[in-house]
């Protein structure tokens, strides 16, 4: 279809909170759990997810020549935030060199501190990043540096004390230029080089890419190195606690309204030849909400949200991850307190995946490994069912249907689990004969299901019959692929997703 969008191999990517980066990848040896979890995705698309390291702790990081890896200062945990971010992170050259432990072919974005408003520190961070990626160990690893991001969510600086309460977007542009210029020079960056700047990284619509374009940021020397625009998006915030019903979150209409506010900035960015991503995103801000972000229902939300964003032309979504965050796809290390309320866990909980990881498996299977897939949303006349199709070289190859109707643990005993029947209809191009239509409708389709017992479950999902809830993230169980007749269509239960391969 003429309205299709490119479905890039790294549409599903990850943002990692900077403070506990060494926990994610390992120090003296790689974190094998993280590596395996990312490598599973790489094997589906031929390309590992892109990784951005930064976020809130990006603007709390200081480089020091006397620190080898990192030294962090954390506030005490509490029931709302069991795993708070560090208030101060001091790093040395070895910190950035840990990038070598990621899967070969990973492309990275690294954050540099703008909040401190200290040119020397920003320059030292950037020089250390460049030095790490020039080191023999990182070169041998095949991990590449694509972008440097200067400042995280600067539109919130007036709220968090990094700037005065009357700070403006005009002052942001001047501040960014004053830091980015020296960073560019010290790091040896230049137009058409291997490393560029990622621009904006705004939390909301307080500052917008369109505003900074109109203020001339792209016409400056460092602004000329901006090749990609990043904006951040969450559906709600759990910073002070609260109650977020899972049923209202699993909502087809809200997913769409949640993304349409970016259309003007997306259009403005693309008109200037810039890439455009959601450089940090997730279900509910401030590490997620219990009973929502950590559930199987959130996995279905991830599928619809990711593919809806891609259908709008947003090329990549960087789902944010931290140690112990509720919305994580991956918990990379053992945890000694609950992610829900901070209560002690004895013995500690080993590394594990969370339900949203299964969404990644389905999405990357849908993306495929050719690198040429095109995406279009399908018109599905049901308020709970979303559908998408992937084309390669003009041919329909795969389709995904997601049933967002929430079947909860409390639904048991209320009657039979609802199911929707999906008929598959095809429109042939001009000149297509009735014989062509008959041949198409009598063909076979392979179906793989994301099977979920209840939307509010936090485990026991399967993808194509297999569980990835293992100690090494290697799948367990026999692969289940159904053979479906196109003429007969397919049934899809409430709280389930299916991938069809043609």
């Amino acid at each position: 279809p003429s309205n299709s969008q490119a479905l890039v191999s790294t549409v599903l990517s990850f943002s990692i909170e900077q403070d506990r980066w060494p926990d994610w990848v390992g120090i003296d040896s790689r974190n094998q759990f993280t590596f395996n979890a990312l490598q599973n995705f790489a094997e589906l698309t031929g390309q590992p997810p892109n990784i951005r390291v930064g976020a809130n702790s990006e603007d709390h990081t200081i480089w020091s020549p006397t620190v080898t890896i990192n030294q962090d200062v954390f506030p005490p945990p509490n029931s709302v935030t069991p795993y708070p971010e560090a208030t101060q992170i001091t790093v040395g050259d070895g910190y950035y060199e840990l990038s070598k432990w990621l899967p070969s072919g990973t492309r990275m974005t690294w954050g540099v501190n703008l909040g401190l408003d200290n040119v020397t520190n920003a320059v030292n961070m950037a020089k250390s990043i460049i030095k790490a990626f020039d080191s023999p160990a990182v070169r041998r690893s095949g991990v590449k540096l694509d972008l440097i991001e200067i400042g995280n969510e600067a539109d919130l600086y007036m709220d968090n004390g990094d700037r005065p309460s009357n700070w403006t977007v005009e002052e942001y542009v001047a501040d960014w230029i004053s830091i980015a210029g020296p960073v560019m020079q010290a790091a040896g960056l230049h137009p058409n080089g291997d490393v560029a700047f990622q621009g904006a990284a705004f939390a909301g619509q307080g500052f917008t890419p369109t505003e900074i374009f109109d203020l001339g940021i792209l016409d400056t020397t460092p602004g000329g190195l901006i090749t990609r625009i990043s904006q951040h998006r969450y559906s709600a915030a759990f910073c002070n606690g609260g109650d977020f019903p899972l049923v209202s979150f699993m909502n087809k209409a809200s997913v769409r309204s949640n993304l349409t506010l970016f259309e003007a900035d997306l259009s403005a960015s693309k008109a200037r030849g810039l890439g455009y991503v959601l450089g940090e995103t997730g279900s509910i801000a401030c590490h997620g909400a219990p009973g929502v972000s950590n559930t199987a229902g959130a996995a279905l939300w991830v599928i619809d949200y990711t593919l809806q964003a891609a259908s709008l032309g947003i090329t990549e979504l960087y789902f944010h991850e931290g140690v112990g965050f509720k919305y994580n796809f991956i918990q990379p290390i053992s945890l000694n307190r609950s992610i829900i309320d901070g209560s002690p866990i004895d013995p500690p909980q080993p590394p594990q995946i969370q339900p949203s990881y299964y969404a990644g498996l389905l999405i990357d299977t849908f993306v495929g490994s050719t690198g040429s897939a095109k995406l279009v949303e399908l018109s599905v006349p049901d308020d709970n069912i979303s559908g998408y199709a992937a084309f390669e070289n003009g041919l329909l190859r795969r389709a995904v249907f997601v049933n967002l109707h929430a079947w909860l643990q409390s639904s048991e005993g209320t009657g039979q689990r609802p199911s929707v029947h999906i008929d598959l209809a095809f429109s042939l191009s001009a000149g297509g004969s009735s014989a062509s239509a008959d041949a198409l409708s009598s063909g076979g389709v392979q179906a793989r299901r994301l099977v979920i017992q209840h939307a509010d479950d936090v485990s026991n999902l399967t993808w194509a019959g297999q569980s990835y809830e293992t100690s090494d993230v290697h799948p367990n169980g026999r692969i289940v692929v159904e053979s479906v007749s196109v003429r007969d269509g397919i049934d899809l239960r409430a709280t389930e997703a299916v991938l069809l391969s043609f």
Side-chain angles (χ1 to χ4, degrees):
S2 60
N3 64 334
S4 64
Q5 297 282 352
L7 189 59
V8 303
S9 301
T10 50
V11 63
L12 179 85
S13 288
F14 294 103
S15 163
I16 296 178
E17 192 68 46
Q18 194 157 298
D19 54 1
R20 299 190 67 171
W21 160 246
D23 290 327
W24 275 88
V25 287
I27 297 176
D28 297 321
S29 61
R30 71 163 38 104
N31 181 325
Q32 197 64 46
F33 190 88
T34 299
F35 181 86
N36 290 351
L38 296 174
Q39 190 63 29
N40 284 342
F41 294 138
E43 289 171 3
L44 293 172
T45 65
Q47 176 67 30
N50 288 345
I51 300 293
R52 172 246 189 179
V53 185
N56 184 56
S57 48
E58 174 178 330
D59 284 314
H60 294 237
T61 302
I62 298 168
W63 181 87
S64 169
T66 62
V67 172
T68 304
I69 304 293
N70 70 312
Q71 295 174 354
D72 295 348
V73 177
F74 289 93
N78 57 58
S79 59
V80 172
T81 312
Y83 290 87
E85 295 143 28
T87 52
Q88 183 175 317
I89 306 105
T90 306
V91 304
D93 288 343
Y95 175 82
Y96 301 107
E97 289 182 18
L98 300 181
S99 303
K100 66 187 177 184
W101 297 130
L102 290 170
S104 180
T106 302
R107 309 195 74 89
M108 296 194 70
T109 299
W110 268 101
V112 167
N113 191 332
L114 175 67
L116 188 62
D117 204 16
N118 184 307
V119 172
T120 300
N121 183 60
V123 163
N124 285 338
M125 290 177 72
K127 287 169 67 176
S128 187
I129 292 167
I130 297 297
K131 179 180 177 182
F133 282 86
D134 280 341
S135 70
V138 179
R139 283 181 175 273
R140 283 193 303 269
S141 74
V143 177
K144 304 290 186 184
L145 176 66
D146 267 358
L147 296 155
I148 290 176
E149 174 186 278
I150 300 174
N152 172 75
E153 300 184 349
D155 51 332
L156 300 183
Y157 283 179
M158 60 285 277
D159 299 324
N160 63 27
D162 282 341
R163 295 294 188 279
S165 60
N166 59 350
W167 197 55
T168 65
V169 67
E170 289 84 359
E171 290 171 300
Y172 161 77
V173 170
D175 275 8
W176 187 90
I177 292 167
S178 71
I179 298 288
V183 163
M184 173 184 176
Q185 186 173 16
L189 308 184
H190 54 84
N192 303 315
D194 293 336
V195 181
F197 285 144
Q198 175 159 285
F202 299 142
Q205 298 297 103
F207 298 168
T208 68
T210 303
E211 284 179 317
I212 64 174
F213 297 158
D214 292 343
L215 289 167
I217 195 170
L218 300 178
D219 301 322
T220 67
T221 300
L225 255 67
I226 295 175
T227 60
R228 191 170 82 178
I229 292 299
S230 161
Q231 285 187 274
H232 298 176
R233 185 61 173 163
Y234 294 89
S235 298
F238 190 71
C239 309
N240 299 306
D243 182 26
F244 299 87
L246 178 57
V247 172
S248 64
F249 184 73
M250 295 172 62
N251 185 288
K252 180 178 173 180
S254 69
V255 167
R256 280 140 190 79
S257 64
N258 197 22
L259 290 166
T260 52
L261 81 163
F262 295 114
E263 288 178 341
D265 289 321
L266 172 59
S267 178
S269 299
K270 296 208 166 185
R272 290 163 173 79
L274 303 174
Y276 186 95
V277 302
L278 293 185
E280 181 183 322
T281 194
S283 55
I284 296 172
C286 300
H287 309 176
V292 179
S293 303
N294 60 319
T295 68
L300 297 181
W301 173 85
V302 166
I303 297 167
D304 192 24
Y305 180 73
T306 302
L307 298 182
Q308 179 63 206
S311 74
L312 298 175
I314 298 171
T315 55
E316 293 167 340
L317 289 83
Y318 288 71
F319 285 92
H320 195 49
E321 307 273 301
V323 167
F325 293 2
K326 300 171 189 71
Y327 50 48
N328 277 13
F329 286 50
I330 304 159
Q331 297 290 5
I333 62 170
S334 295
L335 302 179
N336 59 13
R337 56 183 178 269
S338 165
I339 68 170
I340 302 303
D341 59 11
S343 58
I345 301 175
D346 189 18
Q349 192 175 63
Q352 61 181 287
I353 62 162
Q354 297 198 154
S356 290
Y357 186 84
Y358 287 93
L361 295 169
L362 184 150
I363 290 166
D364 279 352
T365 306
F366 178 69
V367 168
S369 58
T370 66
S372 64
K374 299 277 190 179
L375 167 75
V376 65
E377 183 178 10
L378 300 173
S379 176
V380 183
D382 188 297
D383 291 342
N384 288 313
I385 311 293
S386 297
Y388 302 89
F391 295 79
E392 291 174 353
N393 300 316
L395 300 177
L396 174 66
R397 290 303 187 191
R398 292 171 295 280
V400 165
F401 295 97
V402 184
N403 189 336
L404 292 164
H405 183 171
W407 181 254
L408 304 167
Q409 295 175 28
S410 60
S411 303
E412 294 290 352
T414 62
Q416 188 173 359
R417 183 170 179 171
S419 179
V420 172
H421 182 76
I422 297 172
D423 286 317
L424 305 173
F426 298 86
S427 58
L428 298 175
S429 59
S433 66
S434 59
S436 299
D438 289 342
L440 193 63
S441 65
S442 62
V445 179
Q446 288 189 327
R448 295 172 173 83
R449 291 184 191 266
L450 175 55
V451 175
I452 295 167
Q453 300 309 313
H454 309 97
D456 46 352
D457 286 349
V458 297
S459 60
N460 298 320
L461 291 75
T462 59
W463 163 239
Q466 295 186 305
S467 170
Y468 286 75
E469 295 160 37
T470 59
S471 61
D472 56 7
V473 216
H474 289 151
N476 181 47
R478 182 176 59 88
I479 296 175
V480 176
V481 180
E482 303 168 40
S483 181
V484 176
S485 164
V486 172
R487 180 178 284 128
D488 294 341
I490 193 167
D491 292 325
L492 187 63
R493 298 189 303 169
T495 309
E496 190 172 73
V498 65
L499 170 71
L500 305 180
S501 299
F502 296 90

